[in-house]
Amino acid sequence: MPSSTVVHAAVFAVGAVIGAGTAVAITRRRQEQLPSSVPVSLTSTVSPGVELQRTGHSSALQAKEFPGSVLKYGHPGPISDLLTRKVYVAGYDRRLRHPSWTAEHLTRAMLGQSALEPVTATETGDRSKSTFEEDKDIPTFFRARLADYFKSGYDRGHMVPAADAKISQEAMDETFLLSNIAPQVGNGFNRHYWAYLERWCRDLTQSFSDVYVFTIPLYLPKLDTDGKSRVTYEVIGNPPNVAVPTHFAKVVLTTRPVSPSTPHISEVSAGAFVLPNAPIPHDAPLKGFIVPVDAVEKAAGLQIFPEEVKVGARHICQTTNCQLVVRRFDDAQKMGGKDTQKAIAAPGTR
């Protein structure tokens, strides 16, 4: 089983998939151009007088000294907390009080599905032993609170699913931190269609060596009756504290050897799906939610993939079946299954 250090490095190694001596076979040039480059670099150059400070698992840009008088008494930000966990990395949005993005690197071994690297009982994370917790790595002033979700009408939606973190109890527990959570409609979305999409992402490891998954909350405009486009969204909590995204994006990148005889030559596929934060019929085709990756980047203000991947990757639906397996999680709950949403307890009862 790979260590958390290896997992963390792998998430940020997407850009190295085609570099550092690894040749990429471009079997077909995409008709639809994919986006530009990703990973957050901890060595990025920032403005003079600003240094990258770390506290626990969190990294944030904070001011120390500034030339001249304009920023003499401080740097207003914005500050993005970089959260490094056992099986994922996330950027936390202090204004919206939920992740701005999360990134995962899935393999069969990580999911405990590899015969070559079996998982022992002591290594497996148990969802029933995890509880939702406020993230102490986030300053209290900007933290999402358990009370914000109480009687809000929304589920505490995992951006990195708990089912992706079964390698250890610690990894499982980290997915229940509120810094990995955003408000999601429950019936018809978080407990249904969104869950089917999460499972589809995991199932990609059956066909690909490496699967990189980025989950991104979005706030998209809607055309009003007066012909003007507006972005409107709810804010939950009392006082209002956590924003409710209008949409969520799943962006995936997969790699696998072109052939067993050339394991060093990889086929790269990528694709993006944007879903409304609303009930979706279980028979809605996944292909109906396909969007260009650069559309997600533009809406989120992010860069997700390196330039080389943008040029060379095939669309994921050209290299695998983009059809969801419908599994009614609410029916599993009635039958005593494990795939259930925990009831939200009143603040102070945990």
Side-chain angles (χ1 to χ4, degrees), residues 11-291:
V11 171
F12 286 95
V14 181
V17 168
I18 60 174
T22 302
V24 175
I26 306 305
T27 56
R28 181 176 177 181
R29 189 181 183 89
R30 291 195 53 194
Q31 296 178 354
E32 175 185 13
Q33 200 174 35
L34 289 177
S36 60
S37 82
V38 175
V40 175
S41 171
L42 296 182
T43 58
S44 298
T45 302
V46 295
S47 58
V50 181
E51 295 184 6
L52 187 64
Q53 303 294 315
R54 294 191 178 194
T55 305
H57 295 285
S58 174
S59 298
L61 287 176
Q62 297 180 355
K64 274 196 168 184
E65 298 178 2
F66 301 94
S69 61
V70 175
L71 299 177
K72 179 179 180 180
Y73 293 104
H75 192 296
I79 292 173
S80 179
D81 297 279
L82 182 65
L83 306 171
T84 304
R85 308 302 185 192
K86 292 295 182 182
V87 299
Y88 70 92
V89 178
Y92 181 78
D93 191 316
R94 293 186 173 190
R95 182 175 67 90
L96 302 173
R97 270 75 166 187
H98 62 59
S100 55
W101 56 269
T102 63
E104 310 172 68
H105 175 205
L106 301 180
T107 65
R108 294 189 67 184
M110 275 199 58
L111 297 174
Q113 300 174 355
S114 173
L116 299 177
E117 299 182 60
V119 177
T120 66
T122 57
E123 291 178 306
T124 304
D126 184 347
R127 182 185 180 121
S128 67
K129 296 179 180 178
S130 298
T131 58
F132 289 97
E133 300 287 348
E134 297 178 10
D135 191 343
K136 295 181 175 58
D137 286 333
I138 304 299
T140 304
F141 192 60
F142 301 108
R143 193 179 298 171
R145 304 182 302 262
L146 291 169
D148 295 328
Y149 287 87
F150 181 61
K151 292 186 177 180
S152 68
Y154 291 95
D155 282 2
R156 292 167 291 194
H158 288 71
M159 298 297 94
V160 174
D164 292 3
K166 293 183 177 180
I167 62 169
S168 70
Q169 191 59 47
E170 181 181 1
M172 177 73 70
D173 291 345
E174 288 179 341
T175 68
F176 282 80
L177 293 171
L178 292 189
S179 57
N180 179 49
I181 302 298
Q184 290 186 323
V185 169
N187 189 39
F189 188 65
N190 179 52
R191 304 171 204 171
H192 300 107
Y193 204 91
W194 183 254
Y196 310 152
L197 178 57
E198 292 174 333
R199 182 178 179 181
W200 178 81
C201 291
R202 285 191 293 276
D203 288 347
L204 290 174
T205 60
Q206 304 300 316
S207 303
F208 299 94
S209 304
D210 297 277
V211 178
Y212 299 90
V213 183
F214 298 83
T215 304
I216 304 165
L218 295 173
Y219 294 81
L220 302 183
K222 180 180 179 181
L223 185 64
D224 284 342
T225 55
D226 61 2
K228 297 181 180 180
S229 295
R230 294 179 175 87
V231 177
T232 59
Y233 57 91
E234 187 176 348
V235 182
I236 61 173
N238 187 19
N241 191 49
V242 179
V244 181
T246 64
H247 295 74
F248 290 91
K250 284 284 188 187
V251 182
V252 298
L253 182 146
T254 63
T255 68
R256 63 186 173 192
V258 171
S259 70
S261 61
T262 56
H264 60 290
I265 302 178
S266 297
E267 175 190 75
V268 180
S269 303
F273 307 88
V274 170
L275 284 64
N277 189 8
I280 299 174
H282 68 84
D283 56 353
L286 179 58
K287 289 184 178 180
F289 299 103
I290 293 175
V291 300

